[in-house]
Amino acid sequence: MRAVVYDEFGGPEVLHLGEVPEPEAGPGQVRVRVEAVGLNAFDGKVRSGVMESAFRTRLPAVPGLEVAGVVDQVGADVAGVAPGDRVTGWTSRGAAELALLKRWAPVPDGLAVTQAAALPVVGEAARRALRVLGPRPGETLLVHGASGGIGGLVTQLAVAAGVRVIGTASPANQGRVAAYGATPTTYGAGLVERVRALTPVVDAVLDTSGAGVLPDSIELRGGTDRVLTLTDPAAHDLGVEFDERSQPSATELADLVGLVLHGEVSVPVAHVLPLAEAARGQGLVDGGHSGGKVVLVP
């Protein structure tokens, strides 16, 4: 089958189309004919080789952590899904014509597959961050990268729960943050003063940007308690919690699918590209200039 492949570690330019064996659904798995695959920063880190100290990647490798598609094969011990059903979920080699899923949620009529493919990774990360920080109604949460995929979803879910959110974003994305119901501000020099002009107390901080904002965040919070980053390895030296991926929840994904379907939250899809343009798409993600989720379609 056709897939996006890399044979060596490096920049996005190492991605190319190739032929790989078709996977077969094992126990607890379904195989889907991929209609859309979401790209993520983690794909770029693995492809670059920087994750080799944490785990080994066998080459040639296929990127892609999240897909939406139509089930065409059901493994043993799987119930509640049948060939022909459209689903979205997590995988490990999704940028291909076929992919295997162990956790998934139905994609209802009315939700575009490109949107469905953009939800699993950001949804898991957003829910996890909110569980760790536990912002309560009436508290103030500072979100760095509030216009991005994870930060934007955290912002919307927190605002809906009665939390006041102050969100940092580039000048071009201030309007998006405001549309989410948050108070926007820019990042960069003078951040501490700008946030303090908006609120006397910051109850919790989430960093999704990895842009070196942890020292300012600690100062605003008055310590490292309830300061969380999903992206900045400097956390270990600063005593800040660095939270990594947890076990994905199909139930939480199904709930998020419903929220998006009914317009209660959104995860913007900025670019829909063919598999042949995977290098371009991953380059946008790696550089932080995508303006929203990047999705590939076979």
Side-chain angles (χ1 to χ4, degrees):
M1 68 172 181
R2 192 175 61 153
V4 176
V5 177
Y6 55 99
D7 308 294
E8 60 181 330
F9 298 115
E13 68 278 359
V14 303
L15 297 172
H16 62 90
L17 287 180
E19 291 291 326
V20 300
E22 292 187 1
E24 298 291 328
Q29 295 178 323
V30 298
R31 188 177 75 177
V32 300
R33 188 159 295 280
V34 175
E35 296 182 318
V37 52
L39 296 181
N40 292 277
F42 189 77
D43 292 308
K45 291 178 181 179
V46 174
R47 184 214 64 242
S48 73
V50 301
M51 301 302 296
E52 286 300 285
S53 60
F55 59 84
R56 305 291 292 179
T57 299
R58 181 179 296 179
L59 300 176
V62 177
L65 302 173
E66 55 187 350
V67 301
V70 177
V71 175
D72 80 338
Q73 192 179 85
V74 178
D77 304 319
V78 174
V81 67
D85 291 348
R86 181 168 280 113
V87 298
T88 182
W90 298 269
T91 186
S92 59
R93 293 166 59 88
E97 292 177 316
L98 298 168
L100 300 178
L101 306 182
K102 292 191 71 172
R103 292 177 179 82
W104 61 85
V107 176
D109 292 341
L111 184 65
V113 291
T114 50
Q115 179 74 81
L119 301 180
V121 170
V122 297
E124 184 278 325
R127 294 288 195 185
R128 169 165 40 94
L130 288 169
R131 280 196 299 271
V132 171
L133 290 173
R136 295 177 287 274
E139 289 190 326
T140 297
L141 170 66
L142 174 61
V143 176
H144 295 293
S147 67
I150 298 171
L153 186 54
V154 166
T155 296
Q156 293 171 80
L157 293 172
V159 168
V163 177
R164 183 191 181 194
V165 177
I166 296 173
T168 68
S170 68
N173 288 320
Q174 298 287 292
R176 178 184 293 177
V177 176
Y180 289 157
T183 301
T185 190
T186 54
Y187 49 75
L191 174 67
V192 171
E193 291 73 22
R194 287 194 299 277
V195 173
R196 283 181 172 161
L198 296 171
T199 179
V201 176
V202 172
D203 297 291
V205 183
L206 172 65
D207 170 34
T208 70
S209 70
V213 297
L214 293 182
D216 283 349
S217 299
I218 294 169
E219 183 175 350
L220 286 164
R221 175 72 185 110
T224 59
D225 178 53
R226 297 181 80 189
V227 178
L228 170 68
T229 181
L230 304 182
T231 54
D232 193 342
H236 300 297
D237 295 327
L238 295 170
V240 170
E241 186 166 2
F242 187 105
D243 203 46
E244 301 182 61
R245 293 179 68 195
S246 61
Q247 194 76 283
S249 167
T251 300
E252 288 188 348
L253 178 57
D255 176 64
L256 176 60
V257 166
L259 292 175
V260 173
L261 179 67
H262 295 105
E264 297 179 51
V265 300
S266 66
V267 176
V269 175
H271 303 274
V272 178
L273 304 172
L275 283 181
E277 295 189 33
R280 175 190 166 203
Q282 193 64 56
L284 290 169
V285 175
D286 292 357
H289 304 301
S290 61
K293 290 288 291 190
V294 177
V295 174
L296 302 179
V297 294

